[in-house]
Amino acid sequence: MDGWVLLCEMEAAGAGPRRVVVDGTGLVVWLAADGTPRVFADRCPHRDARLSAGYVEDGRLICPFHLWAFDESGHYVGPDGVADPECAVARYPARAQDGGIWVRDVPVPATSG
């Protein structure tokens, strides 16, 4: 799988959101309601909290800091259940294969120096 990076086993993500770091970039791996993997940047756009410290409820990833909810596409979902197209967390292409969760197109963070 050219360009794809193995993040973790499917079983590990099934236990809840999991933090994985790829080339210095923090990611959160979790399973959608239908069991397909999702990979987001591991930071809430609201207050930079780690989404991997949150939980999954009703097919949404919940931030542990202020309980913001993100749908499977990465958009913030308000208390009214409506997704906000202007507020989203970065999402990366993910797939399940051979018992693992794979990701591609993860940007390498800039370094100073």
Side-chain angles (χ1 to χ4, degrees):
M1 291 185 4
D2 190 34
W4 291 83
V5 175
L6 178 63
L7 295 180
C8 65
E9 299 298 318
M10 282 288 289
E11 188 175 304
R18 178 179 178 95
R19 180 174 171 80
V20 178
V21 178
V22 175
D23 292 330
T25 299
L27 304 173
V28 58
V29 182
W30 61 288
L31 299 181
D34 65 0
T36 59
R38 296 291 187 256
V39 178
F40 294 170
D42 193 15
R43 61 171 289 281
C44 180
H46 178 229
R47 292 283 187 163
D48 271 343
R50 283 188 179 174
L51 293 171
S52 58
Y55 57 94
V56 177
E57 182 178 272
D58 298 326
R60 296 180 178 139
L61 180 61
I62 311 297
C63 177
F65 198 60
H66 283 121
L67 305 180
W68 278 34
F70 297 90
D71 66 15
E72 295 173 0
S73 67
H75 290 99
Y76 166 73
V77 178
D80 58 0
V82 176
D84 181 350
E86 300 297 317
C87 183
V89 65
R91 179 177 168 199
Y92 300 99
R95 67 194 279 181
Q97 185 170 333
D98 300 325
I101 298 176
W102 300 75
V103 69
R104 70 178 173 133
D105 300 334
V106 176
V108 177
T111 59
S112 60

